[in-house]
Every structure is written in C-alpha cells, then in structure tokens.
Amino acid sequence: MNGLYDEFRVAVHSVWTRRWIVLAVAWGICILGWLAVASIPNRYDSRARLLVDANQILPDDGNGGPYAGGPQIDQIRETLTSARNLEKVALTTGLIGADAGERDKAGAVGMLQNSIKVVPQQQNIFEISSSVGIGSLSDADNAKLASGVLDSLITVFRDDQLRGGRMNARESLKFLESQIADREKALREVEARRGAFEAQNIGLIPGGSGSPAQRVEAARAELSQIDSQLVSAQAQLAAANGQLSSTPATVPVAGGVGGGVARQQLAGAQNELAAMRARGLTDAHPDVIALKSQIASLKAMADREGSGGGGGGMQNPAYASLAAMRAERQATVSALSSRKAQLTGDIAKITSQQIQNPGIAAEYDRINGEYTALKAQYDKLLSQREQVRLRGEVQTETDAIKIELLDPPTKPTSPAAPNRPLFLTLVLLAGIGGGIGAAFALSQVRTSYSTAAKLERASGLPVIGSITEVVTPDRHVERRKRLVWLGGGAAALVGLYALLLIAEFVQRGMVA
C-alpha cells in the first residue's frame, strides 16, 4: 500500500515539475476545441400538428378518384414533402432566388428533405418538424427560418391540394367525355351493322330481342309453365262438366202461383241490387253483375207468367252459373293450348333456322354480344361522368380536402443542438486531462529518477545517500512569481471558459 502511495506521489511530483507543459497543452487543446465548438452552427427546431381529412360530402363508392378514403391519406403523407412542394418552400422562404439554377434548387430541396420530418400520430393527424442550422445565417435567422419553413410548407400544401383536386376533376371529366364519344361512335356502328345484317337475312332471323339460343331457352321455360297451367285448367274443366251434367236445367213450379213467385223474387232481387249500390258497389263488382243477370232472368220469367206462358217450370240458376263457369274454363284451356302450339312452332322454327344456317345464327349472336358489351360500357361511362361532374361541382363550392392546423409552428427560443455548454465543459476537461497526460508521458521518457530507491533498482548498485535541493531566498521569491504566473494562466483559461458560457446564454437570450 505504501508502494502505491509512493508511486502516486512520484507521479504527482513529475507532473508538477512540468506544470508549464500542463498549462501550455491545456491552453492549446482548449483553444482548438472551443474554436471547433464555435464553428458548429446552432440548430433550431420547430414543430406543428396538422389535421388532414377528406371532406366526404358525397358518399364514397370506390370511384372517387385518387383522393378517396385511406389511399387519400397515404397520398397526402407522401406528397406533403414532395420535391415540387419543397422547391416552392425554398423560393418563398428565400433559401434560393427566383433565378437559381437547377443545382441550387436541388441542393435546397435536398436540405429541406433532410430537415423536415412528417410523423403520423393517427390516421389523419400528422406532426411536422423542421430542423434548420445554416452556418451562414445568424441564430435569430435560423430560428425564424425553422418556423417559416413549416408555415410555407402548410400554405403550399393547402393551395396545392385545393387546386389539384379541382384540376383532377376537370381532367377526369375531359377523359370521360372522350371515352363516351368513342363508345357512342362504336355503338352506332354496331347498330348499323346489325340493322344491315337483319335486312340482308330477313326471314332467316326471327324477331325478338336476344340471340336465337336465348329466345329458345326463354320459350322452353314459358312452355314448361304453360304445360303445368294447361293440366290444371283441363282438370278444372272436367270437374265443371261433371257438375253441369248432374244439375237440371229447369226447376218445376206450380201453375197457379208461379207468376206471383217470379214477381216476388224479382222485387226482392231489385231491392237487394239497390242495397248493394247504396253500399257503394259499382256495376263492375262480381256480386252486382251476378245479381243483374239474375234480375234479367226473373224479368223474362215474370213476363212469360203474365202472358200465360209460364205453366211448366223456371230456369235453374245453379245450372246457368255452372254453364258460365264451364264456358270460362273452356276459353282458358283453348288459350293455353293455342299459346303452347305457338311456342312449339317458334322453337321448331328457330331450331330449324339454326340447323340450316348455323353461320348466320353465330354471326348474329356475335353482333348482339358486341352490341350488349358496348351498351353496358356506354351506360357505365355515362353514370361515371355524371358522378364526376357532381363531385367537381362539390369541389368547386367546397374544399375537397379539409386541412386544419391543430398546433401552429412553434417559435424556437433556444437551439436544439448542439449542447454548447456541455461541449465547452468537455473541452476544458479534455484540455486539463491532456496537459496532465502530456506531462506524465514526458516524465516517463526522460532518464531521470525521482527517488534514490528507483535509481538503486535501475542501476543495481547501492545508493549511499541523496542531497536535497537547497532553495535560497532569491530562488524562493522567483518561484513564488512563477507560481503566480501559473495561477494567472490557469485562471485565465477558466475565465475564458466562463466568458464563452456567458456569451452562449446571452446569444440565446437575443434569439428569444
């Protein structure tokens, strides 16, 4: 332990004897280091938060253009710091002049791209920061430029989005107009070609819409329905025939009282008809029609009875009703049979034409298919044109993109980098440490021994004794002067460090 203490004392003594070297090296390192720190320009940061949202006045159908929904936010994120926008920012902030060359413009854009960062906080909220530290500008100018860059970027972006959205709507409308004109021209050509083909092959192409195969398929589907309806109608007709055959046509009545009964029934039926009309039933109502038919029959019977011709019996109303029902069902069966025969003939005719003229049918199908495809495209383009026109009107009246400044660009009052007080302190410590290290290294190089024990170990010979230094009064006074000079040099170094710190804080206060 005593050996370590002795070594420490020897090292301190060797450094102390070379204290002027320590001071000189410290001054040199500090001067060079502080000059290097002073050459580093201060960097000032400014931040802002921006809300960018799509103004969805119209519902989004997926065809709203390049600014729709999620893709719109992604594109905004990419185009916010595009080279075109940054070039405008460089011009408005004075980084480059209006007559700057392409090289100067590229350099300014590259500097802004490195200094501007866009960090998305949410889906449509962005934090924009700019870091400016140009050595040729003062700290106040750098601080002002940091916030000015964000102000200009937000203004340029807002104007570009407003103008770009309306320009996109006009370009889209112009493109759709040209496409509609082309489709309309092609559609007319196909219509003329189909008309000429039909006129040339009249009689070979059956009328109706759709291709022959489609018409055959539709006819077969209708024929299947008619077959089931015809079976049901024939069953109902058979049932009506059975009921009619078991119902008598007349009902016998007594000769003496028959006339009075017919007139009574006629009066009752007329009263019932009057009651029905009082309830608001019209002459087209089935009950009114049936009752009027019955009144007509009763009038005929009453007339016959009055003239003496009503001796045997009267017409059976049930038989008359069943006869009318049978006639209606016979008409239904006849109509269904006729339609079935017509459909069967149409199917046979179309099939025969396809067999006899397969090329004509195929060509007609091809022309119809081309016409259908063009017509669908034309209708779709018309719908898109109206939608784009409506969106263009909306963008003209309102902003398609809503840009709201949540937090305006901050005005920096102190540099974000470098931490100059810390760097100045580190340079001072490095200078002191470098001076001490240089003095200690120099003591190790020189062939002198601080103690008699070291000389004895190095030479291998015994050391009889050592003579201490004798300091005269004049020598002592001279040493005191040199010590004062050494302290003055060290104090001057520390004082220069303090002045640099004060100047740094004063400079920051001038920026604020």
Side-chain angles (χ1 to χ4, degrees):
M1 190 68 180
N2 291 331
L4 291 176
Y5 179 69
D6 291 339
E7 289 295 332
F8 176 74
R9 290 181 60 195
V10 168
V12 171
H13 180 266
S14 63
V15 171
W16 176 251
T17 57
R18 297 169 179 83
R19 52 191 174 274
W20 289 103
I21 295 177
V22 173
L23 184 61
V25 172
W27 267 96
I29 292 177
C30 288
I31 292 299
L32 294 177
W34 288 337
L35 288 176
V37 171
S39 65
I40 302 174
N42 286 330
R43 193 193 73 202
Y44 291 87
D45 292 352
S46 179
R47 286 178 171 79
R49 287 205 316 154
L50 197 65
L51 171 65
V52 182
D53 195 7
N55 193 3
Q56 294 289 349
I57 295 179
L58 295 178
D60 186 14
D61 60 350
N63 297 321
Y67 296 107
Q72 183 182 38
I73 302 302
D74 295 337
Q75 186 171 3
I76 288 171
R77 186 183 306 171
E78 295 173 1
T79 58
L80 185 61
T81 56
S82 62
R84 183 167 58 89
N85 286 350
L86 294 182
E87 184 176 338
K88 295 179 182 178
V89 170
L91 286 172
T92 55
T93 54
L95 289 176
I96 56 175
D99 56 347
E102 294 297 329
R103 185 173 181 179
D104 295 336
K105 292 180 180 179
V109 169
M111 188 272 290
L112 290 176
Q113 285 178 341
N114 293 329
S115 62
I116 296 176
K117 294 182 180 179
V118 180
V119 179
Q121 292 184 338
Q122 296 178 11
Q123 182 181 3
N124 55 350
I125 297 179
F126 304 95
E127 183 185 61
I128 312 173
S129 62
S130 64
S131 300
V132 177
I134 301 176
S136 59
L137 299 178
S138 64
D139 289 345
D141 292 337
N142 280 327
K144 183 179 180 181
L145 183 61
S147 60
V149 164
L150 291 187
D151 283 332
S152 178
L153 179 63
I154 293 170
T155 302
V156 169
F157 176 69
R158 181 183 287 123
D159 295 342
D160 183 69
Q161 290 300 319
L162 180 61
R163 183 172 55 254
R166 296 173 180 173
M167 187 177 298
N168 287 335
R170 288 196 298 269
E171 291 178 355
S172 299
L173 191 60
K174 183 178 179 182
F175 173 76
L176 287 174
E177 291 286 357
S178 64
Q179 292 295 315
I180 288 173
D182 294 341
R183 295 298 187 280
E184 186 176 1
K185 181 180 178 182
L187 196 60
R188 289 178 178 176
E189 291 178 356
V190 173
E191 286 178 345
R193 205 151 24 100
R194 186 175 67 172
F197 188 83
E198 290 176 349
Q200 184 179 0
N201 298 279
I202 190 170
L204 299 178
I205 300 176
S209 60
S211 64
Q214 292 174 344
R215 290 198 297 273
V216 168
E217 186 67 24
R220 286 175 177 171
E222 186 180 356
L223 184 61
S224 176
Q225 295 178 358
I226 288 178
D227 284 337
S228 60
Q229 293 174 2
L230 183 59
V231 170
S232 176
Q234 289 175 345
Q236 293 176 359
L237 178 60
N241 288 330
Q243 291 178 358
L244 189 63
S245 61
S246 61
T247 303
T250 59
V251 178
V253 294
V257 296
V261 172
R263 288 187 178 89
Q264 291 176 0
Q265 290 178 351
L266 177 59
Q270 288 175 345
N271 292 333
E272 186 177 357
L273 178 61
M276 287 183 178
R277 286 177 175 173
R279 292 200 307 268
L281 299 181
T282 62
D283 291 341
H285 195 276
D287 294 342
V288 175
I289 294 174
L291 188 57
K292 289 174 70 177
S293 177
Q294 185 179 359
I295 289 173
S297 300
L298 291 173
K299 281 183 178 181
M301 294 174 60
D303 292 339
R304 287 197 301 270
E305 290 176 354
S307 61
M314 61 176 294
Q315 184 180 4
N316 190 355
Y319 183 86
S321 177
L322 289 174
M325 184 185 299
R326 184 184 65 173
E328 181 182 354
R329 292 179 179 178
Q330 284 178 343
T332 301
V333 170
S334 176
L336 290 174
S337 300
S338 176
R339 181 57 181 166
K340 178 180 179 180
Q342 182 183 358
L343 289 174
T344 304
D346 291 343
I347 293 174
K349 181 180 179 181
I350 295 174
T351 305
S352 175
Q353 289 174 350
Q354 287 181 324
I355 294 174
Q356 295 176 2
N357 303 284
I360 293 177
E363 179 66 16
Y364 192 67
D365 286 344
R366 188 187 67 80
I367 294 175
N368 276 332
E370 185 178 355
Y371 176 82
T372 303
L374 285 174
K375 189 65 168 61
Q377 294 176 5
Y378 180 75
D379 294 339
K380 183 178 180 180
L381 287 173
L382 285 178
S383 175
Q384 290 178 349
R385 182 184 65 179
E386 294 304 318
Q387 188 175 20
V388 169
R389 178 179 291 138
L390 182 58
R391 290 184 181 276
E393 292 176 357
V394 170
Q395 290 175 350
T396 301
E397 298 295 333
T398 61
D399 292 339
I401 304 298
K402 177 184 178 183
I403 300 176
E404 182 178 351
L405 195 60
L406 299 180
D407 297 330
T410 58
K411 307 294 183 182
T413 58
S414 61
N419 191 348
R420 208 177 300 276
L422 177 62
F423 287 173
L424 293 175
T425 304
L426 291 177
V427 168
L428 177 62
L429 296 177
I432 296 173
I436 294 173
F440 181 76
L442 188 60
S443 68
Q444 299 298 317
V445 172
R446 291 188 178 182
T447 57
S448 62
Y449 302 96
S450 304
T451 62
K454 278 192 174 185
L455 177 61
E456 190 177 59
R457 286 195 302 268
S459 63
L461 299 174
V463 177
I464 298 174
S466 60
I467 301 174
T468 59
E469 183 182 8
V470 178
V471 181
T472 61
D474 294 338
R475 182 71 174 173
H476 185 69
V477 172
E478 184 180 355
R479 283 190 174 182
R480 288 177 63 91
K481 289 182 180 180
R482 291 185 178 180
L483 186 60
V484 171
W485 293 345
L486 179 67
L493 183 63
V494 175
L496 181 58
Y497 163 74
L499 287 176
L500 291 176
L501 286 180
I502 293 173
E504 174 66 18
F505 287 112
V506 168
Q507 190 176 16
R508 291 189 179 186
M510 293 176 64
V511 173

